[in-house]
Amino acid sequence: MPTSYLTTATSTEHKSFDKEDWSSAYCNVEKELNNAELNLSKGSIPKDLSGTFYRNGPGRLERGGKWVHHPFDGDGMIAAFKFKNGNVSLTNRFIRTKEWEEEEKEQKFLYRGVFGTQKEGGVLANAFDVRLKNIANTHVVKLGQELLALWEASSPYAVNPNTLETIGISNLKGVLKKDEAFSAHPHFDPGHHEEPRMVTFGVKTGPKSTIRLMEFSTEGKKAGSLLSDRKDSFKGFAFLHDFAITPNWAIFLQNAISFNPLPFLLGQKGAAQCLASQKNGAPKFLLIPRDSGKFAGESPTTVDAPQGFVFHHLNAWEENENINVDSIYYEDFPSIGPDDDFRQIDFDRLPEGILKRCQINPNKNKFTATTLSKQCCEFAMVNPLLEGKKARFSWMATAEKKEGNGPLQVIKKLDLFNNEEIIWSAAPRGFIGEPIFIPLNSSKVSEDQGWVIVLVWNSIRSGTDLVILDAKDLSEKAILEVPISIPHGLHGSWVEE
Ligand code: CO
């Protein structure tokens, strides 16, 4: 076991974690702070780090003694860590969604959650209540003058980037219809066709699914304006959480999954609990030509894909006539059943996320899959300046052990050319969130120069630490104590000053 800053002197057993340590992170965020100082417990903050690290995730997991059924049903809370001149400060706010305001007033759950949280009153009180509670908890990105809190089944909430005050549901200057679905996984094209863009999608699903692919300007006076927009329909139900981009393609993986809405309608299950992997189903890659690329206006191409379930992709790039897509595959769709307690989950019974590469030949409807790493991983990224291009280095969160599922405790830098890896571990008593790579702001640097920042649940003091690493060798630059306790979260982004 590698030693970490959270290794206690008394721990002699070779155990990677205690479940109580891991589950102790599930707590409500009790305070909202304005520009609060963080306590530096080790090292110093790099002076070149200038910008804001925004992070979204569930911040309210319990009301009136009743817990959410799944942490993904927790209301969104954004934390903004502002870096300037070697200092960092924290502002955090819950997103004032309509439903959050109502539940805050009543101090109880008034809405069902997609992942199984039920209203009080049992099945009868929940049956036929199909209202969606937009909890704005999955990701946070800046587009134009607005910060967007994203939740994929509905429209984004706009938030003031400085104060984090909620502005309200945004239709993005008239682009979205009322409550239109807008993905929580936009991708930032660093300038494949001269200007940088935000590429994203919305999906309307059913027996036939329609993907709306949108590209937005991200710079200058036009920032936030829609540059291109297309809609394509496909056969079958589509659960699409993420996608990948290359200069010419938007790449989706349509998992072989079925949706039986009956238990949801009858008030027995949340909508996401009605999803099930289809054994021997027919997963497909859906390749949609980008309007900014050389196949603009052409029809999409469908190619067979490997079995398994994918939430997240690492990156994609084109090489000759092939498209390569690196993604994290699970053997099955992981869900928490109606009778399970999410704080008691048995990691050994859950499938692990395995990083695989698919080389797709769209002209021959063929793919070849190779495993890049068997170690259970999530939240993987390359240098954002290489998004959509061939990148050598990747950073990701992994379990401590080399095989099987486990909580995320380790940051791994993986060399995609030769499979060499470097790790930084918070085990046994630390649990990490999504690591964000921030490139050094200079043109004459190698692609792995910069920093990795991550929030760590420090179970020794039941609090959150902000950790800054050197991205090249994962050496510790600084460790800071965050003045609030933040539960295990979801996605975040870096906005350069
Ligand atoms: Co995600």
Side-chain angles (χ1 to χ4, degrees), residues 72 138-139 152 184-185 241-242 311-313 378-379 434 490-491:
F72 291 177
T138 315
H139 199 348
E152 67 195 19
H185 273 284
H241 176 67
D242 191 12
F311 283 109
H312 296 124
H313 302 282
E378 256 304 340
F379 299 140
E434 178 184 56
L490 294 165
H491 301 289

Side-chain angles (χ1 to χ4, degrees), residues 289-303:
R290 287 180 58 190
D291 279 337
S292 50
K294 63 180 177 192
F295 308 117
E298 291 184 18
S299 297
T301 304
T302 307
V303 180

Side-chain angles (χ1 to χ4, degrees), residues 97 134-136 148-158 168-172 175-183:
T97 63
N134 181 347
I135 46 178
L148 302 176
L150 303 171
W151 186 68
E152 67 195 19
S154 195
S155 298
Y157 266 87
I169 290 180
S170 173
N171 64 13
L172 304 173
V175 171
L176 301 177
K177 286 203 210 98
K178 191 178 180 305
D179 301 327
E180 183 174 335
F182 191 73
S183 159

Side-chain angles (χ1 to χ4, degrees), residues 373-376 399-404 412 421 423:
S373 169
K374 278 188 176 167
Q375 189 171 19
C376 181
E400 202 263 345
K401 54 184 182 178
K402 293 287 177 193
E403 285 193 29
K412 180 155 88 177
E421 53 186 60
I423 65 156

